[in-house]
Amino acid sequence: MPDQRLPSSPGFWRSPLRGPWFTSVLGVVLLAGITVLFVTGLLSYAAYNPDLSPVNDKTPDKGLLGFYLFAWPTDPYWLYRLTQGVHVTLGITLVPVLLAKLWSVVPKLFALPPARSLAHALERISLLLLVGGALFEFVTGVLNIQLDYVFPGSFYPLHFYGAWVFFAAFVVHVALRAPAAVRNLRRAREGESPQEETGVQPEFPLVSPRPSEPTVSRRGGLWLVGGGSLLLFGTTVGQNVDGPLRRTALLAPHGGADPGSGPNGFQINKTAASRGIVASETSEEAWRLVVQGRSGTVRLSRAELLELPLHSSALPIACVEGWSTSDQWWRGVRLRDLAALVGYDAEEAPDVLVESLQRHGAFRRAALRANQVRDPRSLLALDVNGEPLTPDHGFPARVIAPAVPGVLNTKWVARMTFGDL
């Protein structure tokens, strides 16, 4: 008889909650949730327009993994707010499910021998990659949401490559385990023991041969997991929706109500001070917008920009961390009108490379596609909600465009270069 004091023995694991039905229910929830996470993650990747310009692509050596199927649209204008909000909120909500699932199958990690067949070896390898990948993706994602960049390197390539490793292991694991999970759920519905597999007891059963006294049923355990997920949902979702739920978003990176009050009282990521922006370089005397294009270069002061035809757009700011603002009322010069100043008709306005005054940090340079430049709602904004931009919101001028990630709405704009990128 195996030594019951060793984790390689089934008798070492004594919780009466573990079992095929409990694990299968959690697995089905994760199957649906992780699929949505992966799809919305790919949509977030697409929203950055990574093949438009090297400045937007944070994973330059991605090879075939960087397949890109379509240009990111500008309609509906809240598209990125929705997809990234779902990605982040669902990821946080699934944390208790993931931890419960890992807890439910942890005895399998210690099973001996390590491999009984080729199929079993593939399953064990996929399980190790799955567990490691899941923990890596969820941990880096949560840290990114909280703006805590304690991991080495850039979040973008780490999360991108980690997602592919995790999802490959996830697909292999699902292919190997899905038939058994379906049988377990069907048998549980029919009142049969889900542990029975054609009358043969598995070599390392999830059901303990000497369970402790139960303190909660398996259904109660699922309710506990579901309650934890509901609590995390309630303390996260408000960062991406309008209304009173914003005050419950305790896990949001900007937590609670919008900062400050007045026309500029909505969330920000980068302050002017954090990016080295000083008043002397944004003053009316010092600051000029440089616009370059087919017909040459134009330099414009803020006062000269205010003399051009001005237009308004009601657009949110939505960031990769999952938070977004409500629709703000922006006023400024259309990007396609700026393109017209340097030799392009509105209908043929090309891509644009936007450069900021900020001296450090990601996306001090960012590119927008031609369809984004041509959209009449895309502005070089000078005012918001009836008042001039504050320094933290990008004074003297910032880009605002529909359906783009927040980092592409460049603040403290200094130069715009129109042309094919």
Side-chain angles (χ1 to χ4, degrees), residues 116-367:
R116 300 189 301 270
S117 65
L118 179 59
H120 185 240
L122 288 175
E123 181 186 347
R124 294 296 298 275
I125 293 172
S126 71
L127 185 60
L128 289 173
L129 291 175
L130 186 68
V131 171
L135 292 174
F136 180 83
E137 286 298 286
F138 276 79
V139 168
T140 55
V142 169
L143 289 174
N144 180 64
I145 292 165
Q146 300 301 325
L147 308 179
D148 290 329
Y149 301 112
V150 296
F151 38 79
S154 170
F155 167 76
Y156 296 97
L158 289 173
H159 205 65
F160 178 83
Y161 292 122
W164 278 108
V165 171
F166 167 70
F167 198 73
F170 181 72
V171 169
V172 173
H173 188 73
V174 168
L176 293 171
R177 299 304 302 164
V182 171
R183 286 195 299 270
N184 286 330
L185 291 174
R186 184 183 298 121
R187 287 173 176 173
R189 256 197 329 268
E190 295 170 355
E192 300 177 23
S193 170
Q195 191 176 351
E196 296 173 3
E197 287 283 340
T198 65
V200 178
Q201 198 79 343
E203 290 189 30
F204 202 104
L206 288 176
V207 176
S208 175
R210 55 188 199 107
S212 303
E213 283 295 319
T215 56
V216 64
S217 68
R218 285 174 182 158
R219 291 186 185 277
L222 288 178
W223 278 109
L224 180 64
V225 174
S229 290
L230 185 61
L231 177 64
L232 290 178
F233 177 83
T235 53
T236 304
V237 68
Q239 66 183 321
N240 198 53
V241 297
D242 299 331
L245 284 178
R246 282 198 181 269
R247 295 187 176 273
T248 71
L250 303 178
L251 297 182
H254 305 280
D258 292 344
S261 60
N264 281 267
F266 53 94
Q267 292 109 312
I268 57 171
N269 256 4
K270 304 173 184 176
T271 64
S274 72
R275 292 301 178 263
I277 307 298
V278 295
S280 61
E281 61 186 338
T282 60
S283 66
E284 178 65 31
E285 296 75 22
W287 182 82
R288 294 295 183 271
L289 172 70
V290 179
V291 184
Q292 293 180 299
R294 184 164 56 191
S295 63
T297 300
V298 175
R299 295 171 60 87
L300 299 165
S301 68
R302 181 178 162 90
E304 289 170 328
L305 285 169
L306 287 168
E307 292 175 358
L308 296 175
L310 300 179
H311 301 270
S312 297
S313 299
L315 297 172
I317 297 174
C319 279
V320 70
E321 295 91 1
W323 67 266
S324 63
T325 71
S326 56
D327 291 354
Q328 309 297 319
W329 196 255
W330 307 89
R331 188 181 73 135
V333 182
R334 285 174 172 166
L335 297 187
R336 67 187 192 185
D337 291 345
L338 291 172
L341 294 178
V342 288
Y344 301 96
D345 294 334
E347 295 74 19
E348 64 167 357
D351 309 331
V352 63
L353 175 65
V354 185
E355 299 177 71
S356 172
L357 288 173
Q358 73 177 75
R359 293 168 178 79
H360 57 85
F363 292 100
R364 59 170 298 274
R365 303 166 72 239

Side-chain angles (χ1 to χ4, degrees), residues 29-53:
V29 173
L30 286 176
L31 173 62
I34 287 174
T35 300
V36 173
L37 285 179
F38 190 71
V39 171
T40 52
L42 287 180
L43 290 175
S44 181
Y45 171 77
Y48 280 79
N49 292 324
D51 67 342
L52 178 61
S53 172

